[in-house]
Amino acid sequence: MKVVFLFFKFLRFFFSLFLGGEACIKCGRITFNPPICEICKNQFIYDWVPSVNKVDGIRTRCNCCGKELISEIDLCSRCKEEKVLLHTDSVVPVHTYRLWKIDLLYMWKYQHRRQLTKVFSDLSSNVIKKEFFSDGEIPLVPVPPRPGKIRKQGWDQVEDLCKYLEMFYGFKVLRVLERTTSIQQKKLNRKSRLENLGHAYRINPKFIAKNILPEKIILIDDVITTGVTMETCAKCLKEAGVSTVYGFSLFTV
């Protein structure tokens, strides 16, 4: 599988070179590893803000939703009014979903630019290990796609990300969650999503029967919008006996 990956990586580079490259989505420089050049990749994708500043020990992200704090302490202003996430113990969304990063995620999810999976897996591996692995490795649980999505589109971005993390970085991935509805969550407002809470996802019965759910897991998703998907999945896992549920996403709205 790794050989196949390297072959397609070389093939993409060759065609990009043959066609004269492509403009970087961030800076406009010509790159032969599109859609983002190496400079912007290192400066704006791989560079991220940790939950706690190592120099002074001050929290830099909201202790509930994980968004970067501006002038607040521990909790962002939104979570002080009403906590968005109740069943997750800690959440780290790496980047804010805005400006050119919106286009980057769109390219990955909807234009099927799967070369970005390698970029996002490099980032994810680094962040997950530094944020969550202080007391040992924790298995990853991907948020599952809608029924029929992989059959229709040929792939799912979160599953693709987890395959890379499993294959190239040695992470343990447990696919214990199942999606029970084909309704797209993005088409529902927060109220409708909350009404759907507990119905959209469930634990695969075979994992409950075998009683092999670990004490801690890390939920993996591509983007947190209202937080309901993360909350629903975390609630399912806790009801099934998981004691600690962390959350990780590449972006947050």
Side-chain angles (χ1 to χ4, degrees):
M1 188 67 183
K2 291 184 179 181
V3 174
V4 174
F5 164 75
L6 292 172
F7 171 75
F8 280 106
K9 183 179 179 181
F10 171 78
L11 204 60
R12 283 194 298 268
F13 177 81
F14 174 79
F15 278 110
S16 180
L17 186 67
F18 178 77
L19 296 172
E22 185 178 322
C24 170
I25 190 175
K26 173 66 175 68
C27 68
R29 295 186 188 94
I30 296 298
T31 176
F32 298 107
N33 286 299
I36 184 168
C37 70
E38 291 298 318
I39 294 174
C40 290
K41 192 187 299 179
N42 290 321
Q43 289 184 352
F44 302 109
I45 296 296
Y46 292 156
D47 188 39
W48 57 283
V49 177
S51 296
V52 177
N53 191 318
K54 291 184 178 180
V55 177
D56 51 23
I58 296 176
R59 175 163 285 278
T60 57
R61 290 180 177 272
C62 175
N63 202 28
C64 178
C65 70
K67 286 186 177 181
E68 291 182 43
L69 298 172
I70 301 174
S71 58
E72 307 98 330
I73 298 175
D74 291 333
L75 292 175
C76 69
S77 55
R78 183 185 179 187
C79 289
K80 283 180 181 177
E81 294 179 5
E82 180 184 5
K83 287 189 175 182
V84 176
L85 300 171
L86 300 173
H87 293 90
T88 52
D89 296 273
S90 178
V91 183
V92 178
V94 188
H95 294 296
T96 303
Y97 185 64
R98 61 187 179 90
L99 303 175
W100 60 274
K101 290 176 183 176
I102 295 176
D103 296 328
L104 193 67
L105 186 60
Y106 184 85
M107 286 179 172
W108 187 42
K109 289 183 67 168
Y110 302 110
Q111 294 183 347
H112 311 302
R113 303 286 293 269
R114 293 180 71 172
Q115 65 266 40
L116 283 168
T117 302
K118 177 63 169 61
V119 176
F120 290 139
S121 62
D122 287 342
L123 170 67
S124 301
S125 175
N126 186 33
V127 176
I128 290 170
K129 288 176 180 177
K130 290 184 178 179
E131 288 283 345
F132 302 115
F133 279 18
S134 58
D135 295 325
E137 295 183 8
I138 303 172
L140 312 180
V141 173
V143 171
R146 300 185 313 278
K149 179 184 176 182
I150 294 179
R151 183 175 65 252
K152 181 180 179 180
Q153 299 186 4
W155 76 302
D156 172 68
Q157 70 279 358
V158 177
E159 173 61 21
D160 219 36
L161 176 65
C162 286
K163 281 181 179 178
Y164 269 67
L165 290 171
E166 191 175 34
M167 185 176 302
F168 296 103
Y169 303 90
F171 285 83
K172 183 178 181 181
V173 178
L174 297 177
R175 295 166 178 84
V176 302
L177 288 169
E178 291 182 343
R179 180 79 174 264
T180 59
T181 174
S182 59
I183 299 173
Q184 288 184 276
Q185 290 286 82
K186 68 178 182 179
K187 293 183 178 180
L188 304 176
N189 58 29
R190 181 170 174 81
K191 182 181 178 181
S192 298
R193 289 186 183 204
L194 286 170
E195 290 173 353
N196 203 34
L197 186 68
H199 303 290
Y201 300 92
R202 69 172 186 175
I203 304 294
N204 187 316
K206 71 179 182 181
F207 287 97
I208 298 176
K210 293 180 180 179
N211 194 27
I212 57 174
L213 291 174
E215 290 187 3
K216 298 180 180 180
I217 65 93
I218 302 171
L219 262 176
I220 304 291
D221 206 357
D222 56 347
V223 59
I224 295 176
T225 50
T226 63
V228 172
T229 296
M230 189 71 67
E231 182 71 354
T232 306
C233 292
K235 183 174 183 289
C236 287
L237 289 160
K238 291 242 171 139
E239 289 177 346
V242 178
S243 60
T244 304
V245 177
Y246 299 116
F248 171 87
S249 72
L250 295 168
F251 298 94
T252 183
V253 175

